[in-house]
Amino acid sequence: MTKTLEIAWQVMEQSIIYHHGRPIGTVASLDSSLPALNYHQCFTRDFFVSAIAFLLNGQSEIVRNFLTETLALQSRDKQMDCFKAGKGLMPASFEVVFQDEKEWLEADFGEKAIARVAPVDSGLWWLYLLRIYVKATGDYAFANQSEVQQGICLMQDHWMEYYDGRRGNLMGKQARKQQIWTVAGYIVARQLLENPNHLNILSFSLESVTPCTLPRINEN
């Protein structure tokens, strides 16, 4: 392992978020100079890259925990208020809240995001990761769970593209080397270059993650 790769993994390990002693995700950034931003939270989109790095390194527990916990945070109620998360929407991010010796997860559906952008793409990243997780681990029982199937069906009307402003730079201009998905992207790139066979878990068609199609999700 090169020195750069070793440092990258150290950063990844430092970024892990724990809930009741279980790893459930990674913070968006370790940059302590940005206290006003929500980079202490785990971003659904950003963790997708980290998850692949963990899976390729044989660390599947954190990915399964992430899928489970974010699914539990999914909005389940139909809203007439356009300023509240609609039914089936997955959170943009989440954080572990500690108070009075208790801890719980608190979801953010864009209220604290840069430019207050709704997480209309979070469900798609979750579905992609579910497919990759099952393909990498063979854990078909996880995708078979009724809770997972119900969550998939609730997402079917929320597959819009992520709006990043007219110039596509509202979030993009905030990218920094301290952001965890940048570090994870480097690790994944190195892993794929060293072992191209890993590309197998990333290759699938969009139809394989179509909502409410359990047989397709379970295809090898």
Side-chain angles (χ1 to χ4, degrees):
M1 181 181 294
T2 66
K3 185 63 175 180
T4 303
L5 189 57
E6 182 179 348
I7 293 174
W9 271 116
Q10 289 174 357
V11 172
M12 287 285 286
E13 293 295 331
Q14 293 171 15
S15 72
I16 294 177
I17 296 174
Y18 292 88
H19 180 45
H20 293 305
R22 300 163 56 245
I24 60 170
T26 53
V27 296
S29 174
L30 292 176
D31 189 352
S32 59
S33 67
L34 303 171
L37 299 179
N38 59 341
Y39 284 174
H40 64 287
Q41 298 187 5
C42 178
F43 291 6
T44 301
R45 176 196 60 188
D46 291 19
F47 183 73
F48 177 85
V49 185
S50 298
I52 295 174
F54 285 124
L55 286 173
L56 295 180
N57 198 46
Q59 297 173 260
S60 61
E61 179 190 4
I62 187 174
V63 180
R64 180 182 173 121
N65 292 342
F66 169 85
L67 290 169
T68 300
E69 297 297 345
T70 47
L71 182 63
L73 295 172
Q74 182 184 36
S75 177
R76 299 299 176 103
D77 300 320
K78 185 175 182 180
Q79 301 286 351
M80 297 301 291
D81 187 342
C82 64
F83 294 103
K84 294 183 179 179
K87 187 176 183 179
L89 196 64
M90 296 296 283
S93 60
F94 65 85
E95 63 179 313
V96 181
V97 179
F98 298 92
Q99 184 176 332
D100 298 329
E101 298 183 353
K102 296 181 180 179
E103 66 176 87
W104 65 89
L105 296 182
E106 186 172 289
D108 174 33
F109 290 91
E111 301 93 339
K112 300 177 182 178
I114 300 172
R116 303 298 187 268
V117 180
V120 291
D121 67 327
S122 294
L124 188 59
W125 290 115
W126 190 94
L127 287 168
Y128 279 159
L129 184 55
L130 171 64
R131 169 63 174 174
I132 292 172
Y133 167 78
V134 171
K135 197 169 184 181
T137 65
D139 188 4
Y140 301 109
F142 180 79
N144 273 324
Q145 294 181 87
S146 59
E147 296 88 348
V148 174
Q149 289 299 301
Q150 182 183 22
I152 293 172
C153 291
L154 287 175
M155 295 178 205
Q156 59 187 352
D157 294 326
H158 299 278
W159 280 38
M160 297 169 62
E161 289 295 327
Y162 200 96
Y163 181 69
D164 196 16
R166 295 180 61 185
R167 298 182 179 180
N169 63 358
L170 292 179
M171 275 62 68
K173 69 179 181 181
Q174 295 293 333
R176 295 175 173 84
K177 66 180 180 180
Q178 293 93 341
Q179 284 188 310
I180 302 305
W181 73 335
T182 305
V183 178
Y186 166 75
I187 292 174
V188 171
R190 285 295 303 265
Q191 289 170 320
L192 293 178
L193 286 171
E194 292 174 1
N195 189 350
N197 290 330
H198 285 321
L199 284 169
N200 178 56
I201 70 168
L202 302 179
S203 60
F204 54 87
S205 63
L206 182 61
E207 288 76 12
S208 67
V209 290
T210 300
C212 303
T213 52
L214 176 59
R216 290 184 178 179
I217 286 181
N218 285 345
E219 287 177 357
N220 291 319

